[in-house]
Amino acid sequence: MIFSNLPSYTWLGLGVFLLLLLHVATNYFNHGLNKYPGPFLASLTNWWRFFLVSGQKCQETHIKLHSQLGNVVRLGPNCLSFADPQAAKTIYSLKNNLNKSTFYPVQMQLHRGVPLPSLFGTLDNTYHSRLRRLATPAFAMSNLVTHYEPRVDNAIRTFLSQTAKLYASTCASESGDAKTTCNWVRWLQFFAFDVIAEITYSKRLGFIDREEDVDGIIESLDKAFDYSAVVGQMPWLDRWVGKQNPIKRMLSRWGVWQSTSAPARFARERMVERLEEVERKRSMGDNNKTKKEEGGGRAEGDDLMGMFLQAQRDDQQQGSGFMTDTVVLTMATTMVLAGSDTTAASLAAVFYYLLRNEACYRRLVREIDDAVAEGVISLETNHGVVSWVDAQKLPYLDACIKEAFRLHPAVGMHLERMTPPGGMEICGEFVPGGTIVGCNAWVVHRSLEVFGEHVDEYRPERWLVDENLDQETEKQRVSEMNATLLHFGGGIRGCIGRNIALLEMYKFVPSFLRRFDIQPTTGKEWPLKNMWFIKPVKLDVRITARAT
Ligand code: HEM
């Protein structure tokens, strides 16, 4: 009787409430995942993850939750996080080849409203393995020294001379216009963007020369990552209200709304230039010759874009239409997206930890100076830049870089994968099919079992074999640490550009420290912002030219 008098909106409200209750209850019990510990709200809704990531510090919560709750933590109704390095080996193993989660396509760039399926963002494993096979030769170690190293040298030389001119205080008295502090994080970002553009297109973007964010590329990427990190926690938002919403895509196709990102526009312009150049040479019967780059004497075909175009030609010769112009364009755009901020943040981390650990800084500078004095490495042949081969002769440099990778992996969120339909076992736990599983390198890299004591401290020495201990055990210990590092991801979806990143970093650090002294302006910790990449917000330093 009472119920029949209730107004219809009350029934509606009640109906909505019951549906909501059913929804959260289903989420909570989802395939028995309720047996895993985790924040209660996280077990009910993905909004928990959404707000956690919006706070830009989710790695801190991940570390805390695992230290309190153990190896497996439930971070969402359908999402499990693992801390054990053995779990990482299972999840990212080549053999298991797990699919990426729907977090990734949110990061795909659009061109005129159409998502560009990239090596990084695609969920289609067949497409991925085909593309990866075609792209892999461009990243081979043999190409590093021959083709890419001269380009990196060029960018480092420009960086060093601009640093001397703009920031090194000994030059201030000569030129009178040097600045006293340098925003080191930003300055390294400029380097990383210029160098990746040089390797990809044989064209420096001009960040270092102009000392500015050219065409707003950095700002545009920042916005893209701010968006995709958060929206990626609930990818359906992207399709319905975000950048892939059907109305926006339509407007973009009609040219009313600009959806093509700055790096994608830049890549397209370079590709058009390159194809015109190839066409021009073909019409002049100059098929085999390649134009030498200004000053560097490098051939234009041996940059990444040239390698991708070569892969396209090979693909066409085999009668396949797979490697279209759009695929080449997407590959080139991905290089700038995936290879700039990651390298900049990792380089910044090496310097940050050295600056906070003076003994390590001094030991590294001594190693470099001694190696130069003893003729182990030479700065003459490369006009002030340490060669890749020489950099391998500096064990303490290697230890300092690895320790920075350990404490500050550039990607600060889970590398999400999906369990196969039949489910799978991870570290003795049977996880049902279709569950999002993953590890955050910020958690795995703090494993006490693998990295020993004081995991929160910067101790490059842990990477060196202690000669006073049993050599076999020591080698085994270091090798296990190496195998546990997850900063480049793992398996078939691991970083394809890792050799390029290492080339840049192992050359840059000693070349810079040989020429300059660097000091922080404050002893405070640096503020970090986690939006997929964990980017330092600021690190002000003073730079002085060394009398070497
Ligand atoms: C220190 C620098 C770098 C770090 C820390 C880094 C880190 C990573 C990580 C963690 C992944 C795997 C992501 C996942 O599984 O979700 C990845 C993938 C990738 N990286 Fe890097 N990266 C770096 C530099 C570069 C460079 C220089 C390039 C290009 C020249 C590059 C291109 C890529 C691409 C294309 C992928 C996707 C690979 C695939 O799915 O097949 N990265 N990177």
Side-chain angles (χ1 to χ4, degrees), residues 495-514:
C495 182
I496 200 172
R498 60 180 292 161
N499 290 340
I500 291 180
L502 296 177
L503 176 75
E504 293 177 37
M505 294 176 66
Y506 277 73
K507 286 168 68 66
F508 181 93
V509 176
S511 305
F512 182 86
L513 288 177
R514 176 69 184 160

Side-chain angles (χ1 to χ4, degrees), residues 346 401-409 445 487-488 502 505:
S346 305
I401 293 181
K402 287 214 177 106
E403 185 66 350
F405 275 141
R406 185 186 71 78
L407 272 180
H408 188 114
H445 287 187
H487 59 297
F488 283 124
L502 296 177
M505 294 176 66

Side-chain angles (χ1 to χ4, degrees), residues 164-229:
K165 194 169 122 203
L166 296 168
Y167 298 110
S169 55
T170 48
C171 298
S173 50
E174 290 160 24
S175 64
D177 61 357
K179 299 167 189 168
T180 51
T181 56
C182 166
N183 181 346
W184 188 233
V185 168
R186 194 150 175 86
W187 196 220
L188 287 179
Q189 225 177 352
F190 287 178
F191 166 73
F193 274 83
D194 266 351
V195 84
I196 195 67
E198 175 117 21
I199 289 174
T200 311
Y201 311 108
S202 298
K203 194 159 187 137
R204 257 209 324 275
L205 287 163
F207 283 85
I208 305 173
D209 308 74
R210 287 159 58 181
E211 215 200 333
E212 65 177 35
D213 176 8
V214 180
D215 294 343
I217 290 183
I218 294 181
E219 196 191 337
S220 125
L221 276 188
D222 275 353
K223 279 192 189 144
F225 283 117
D226 285 359
Y227 170 86
S228 53

Side-chain angles (χ1 to χ4, degrees), residues 67-97:
S67 76
Q68 289 168 350
L69 303 173
N71 177 30
V72 196
V73 173
R74 190 181 189 190
L75 293 180
N78 193 35
C79 173
L80 296 181
S81 164
F82 288 82
D84 189 332
Q86 290 309 321
K89 286 182 185 156
T90 307
I91 294 171
Y92 306 108
S93 87
L94 278 173
K95 188 171 120 258
N96 287 329
N97 192 14

Side-chain angles (χ1 to χ4, degrees), residues 176-452:
D177 61 357
K179 299 167 189 168
T180 51
T181 56
C182 166
N183 181 346
W184 188 233
V185 168
R186 194 150 175 86
W187 196 220
L188 287 179
Q189 225 177 352
F190 287 178
F191 166 73
F193 274 83
D194 266 351
V195 84
I196 195 67
E198 175 117 21
I199 289 174
T200 311
Y201 311 108
S202 298
K203 194 159 187 137
R204 257 209 324 275
L205 287 163
F207 283 85
I208 305 173
D209 308 74
R210 287 159 58 181
E211 215 200 333
E212 65 177 35
D213 176 8
V214 180
D215 294 343
I217 290 183
I218 294 181
E219 196 191 337
S220 125
L221 276 188
D222 275 353
K223 279 192 189 144
F225 283 117
D226 285 359
Y227 170 86
S228 53
V230 178
V231 173
Q233 306 308 308
M234 301 176 78
W236 58 267
L237 286 172
D238 188 47
R239 291 189 293 277
W240 295 107
V241 289
K243 73 174 180 342
Q244 294 211 48
N245 114 24
I247 300 171
K248 275 189 179 167
R249 287 177 63 173
M250 204 161 60
L251 292 175
S252 177
R253 264 197 297 278
W254 292 341
V256 180
W257 182 62
Q258 172 66 275
S259 69
T260 310
S261 66
R265 281 200 300 278
F266 180 79
R268 180 163 287 277
E269 284 159 19
R270 299 292 79 75
M271 186 155 160
V272 169
E273 276 171 20
R274 182 64 58 88
L275 292 175
E276 282 172 1
E277 177 75 9
V278 170
E279 201 42 52
R280 194 179 56 76
K281 272 193 255 157
R282 225 174 251 152
S283 64
M284 289 163 66
D286 197 13
N287 249 346
N288 296 321
K289 288 186 196 152
T290 46
K291 182 184 139 210
K292 296 283 168 186
E293 288 292 296
E294 269 174 50
R298 296 175 307 280
E300 67 174 17
D302 56 21
D303 54 19
L304 280 173
M305 172 76 99
M307 302 266 178
F308 299 151
L309 286 169
Q310 181 59 47
Q312 185 184 45
R313 283 192 290 275
D314 294 347
D315 183 50
Q316 279 163 357
Q317 268 168 15
Q318 286 168 11
S320 151
F322 174 75
M323 196 88 176
T324 59
D325 283 355
T326 307
V327 173
V328 174
L329 176 78
T330 310
M331 281 300 290
T333 311
T334 307
M335 296 307 118
V336 178
L337 296 182
S340 47
D341 274 337
T342 41
T343 311
S346 305
L347 262 180
V350 175
F351 281 93
Y352 172 72
Y353 288 112
L354 286 174
L355 293 178
R356 291 179 70 80
N357 295 276
E358 208 188 330
C360 304
Y361 180 109
R362 289 287 143 224
R363 182 169 173 186
L364 177 58
V365 171
R366 209 168 43 246
E367 179 182 69
I368 300 164
D369 288 352
D370 289 352
V372 174
E374 290 159 16
V376 176
I377 68 172
S378 160
L379 286 152
E380 302 302 315
T381 35
N382 270 339
H383 307 286
V385 178
V386 175
S387 74
W388 168 247
V389 171
D390 279 355
Q392 311 305 304
K393 300 173 191 158
L394 303 171
Y396 198 65
L397 169 73
D398 182 53
C400 289
I401 293 181
K402 287 214 177 106
E403 185 66 350
F405 275 141
R406 185 186 71 78
L407 272 180
H408 188 114
V411 174
M413 292 167 59
H414 290 79
L415 311 177
E416 293 184 3
R417 301 292 185 269
M418 303 301 297
T419 53
M424 68 184 287
E425 201 171 295
I426 305 173
C427 277
E429 297 286 338
F430 180 79
V431 182
T435 308
I436 300 173
V437 289
C439 298
N440 183 336
W442 281 68
V443 175
V444 175
H445 287 187
R446 280 164 172 78
S447 158
L448 289 168
E449 289 74 32
V450 177
F451 296 104

